[in-house]
Structures are given as C-alpha cells and as structure tokens.
Amino acid sequence: MRKKAVARKPRVVKTRNAGTMTESAFWSFIRSALRQKSRWWKPITQTKMNARRAYKGPNKRQKFEYQCVHCTKWFPEKKINVDHTIPVGSLNCAEDLPGFVNRLFCEVGDLQILCSCCHDSKTKQENESRKKS
Ligand SMILES: [Zn+2]
C-alpha cells in the first residue's frame, strides 16, 4: 500500500546567515538585538527615574515604586513597562529598519510608564486597529 503523499508546505528558503536562517528568523534576530540595546538607552532609564518615588510599604527589599500614567496607581519595577507613545511597529524587512530604529531609540518626550495591565490593553487596542486598517 502506498502511503499518501503528505501535502508539504513549500519550504521556506534559508537565505540568511550561511543558509541557516529564513528571512523571518533573520529579522527577528535583528529585532531582538536592537531591543536588547534599547535597555541601556538613557531616555528609557530617565523616564523610569522620573516616574518613581521611595517605597514605604511592607516589602523590605523594594526601594522604589513607579506610577502608571494611565491608571495613576503605584507599582513595583517588575510590574511596569516603559511604553513608546508612538508604537515602534514591525521590523520584517530592510525597509522597516529606519522607522523602527528611530521610534525605538526615541527621546524622553515619546516615552511613558505604564503598568503591565494598562500596557496590555494598549497593545491589544493597537493590534485591533492594525487589523482593521
Ligand atoms: Zn496602569
């Protein structure tokens, strides 16, 4: 009995990194490298410093707390995100690169502190409006 030929997906060609990376793997690699570097971008650190105050609650190991600009509540560092007011957007090809870099490495005025909850709902809204357009 002959086995039915499994309908193979067309193979994605590995055009990058000595034939080991697909185009999309390559851009995800570049994206994460740039995002990693943005952790040491001063406006990001400054935005966090500007939004913090000394913590006086029961947790002895917590020194500071940070205020979410949206719900105005205070959160420990783990629960906040530095948000780009202009969404950084996608990086899937070389043409996306200049815009992505400029929006990711922006100045203090284009950054804000959001708690995880407010950040998630902002991201959700952005994704929904992207689908519509
Ligand atoms: Zn919030």
Side-chain angles (χ1 to χ4, degrees), residues 68 71 75 115 118:
C68 169
C71 64
F75 297 89
C115 71
C118 294

Side-chain angles (χ1 to χ4, degrees), residues 15-69:
T15 47
R16 300 279 189 172
N17 199 7
T20 63
M21 268 183 178
T22 63
E23 197 67 9
S24 101
F26 171 72
W27 285 110
S28 130
F29 166 79
I30 300 293
R31 211 159 49 226
S32 79
L34 288 170
R35 283 203 177 271
Q36 248 172 43
K37 282 293 169 198
S38 82
R39 287 172 57 191
W40 289 277
W41 188 244
K42 283 194 177 59
I44 289 180
T45 345
Q46 279 169 3
T47 304
K48 279 170 80 174
M49 299 261 279
N50 293 342
R52 80 180 189 189
R53 71 177 181 191
Y55 170 77
K56 299 210 168 68
N59 183 355
K60 290 261 185 309
R61 277 182 291 180
Q62 189 182 338
K63 277 188 168 175
F64 301 104
E65 56 185 357
Y66 300 79
Q67 190 175 31
C68 169
V69 290

Side-chain angles (χ1 to χ4, degrees), residues 59-132:
N59 183 355
K60 290 261 185 309
R61 277 182 291 180
Q62 189 182 338
K63 277 188 168 175
F64 301 104
E65 56 185 357
Y66 300 79
Q67 190 175 31
C68 169
V69 290
H70 190 250
C71 64
T72 69
K73 289 182 199 137
W74 294 85
F75 297 89
E77 188 171 11
K78 275 185 285 182
K79 295 272 173 67
I80 55 131
N81 289 282
V82 181
D83 176 64
H84 291 76
T85 52
I86 304 155
V88 177
S90 53
L91 176 59
N92 300 317
C93 60
E95 288 71 42
D96 290 344
L97 199 50
F100 183 88
V101 168
N102 280 323
R103 289 186 296 266
L104 183 61
F105 296 96
C106 62
E107 296 302 323
V108 166
D110 296 323
L111 295 165
Q112 62 184 6
I113 298 295
L114 287 179
C115 71
S116 314
C117 191
C118 294
H119 186 254
D120 285 353
S121 60
K122 191 196 169 205
T123 313
K124 228 178 249 171
Q125 270 179 13
E126 279 164 13
N127 290 343
E128 269 160 32
S129 63
R130 204 177 302 154
K131 266 182 230 157
K132 274 174 208 154

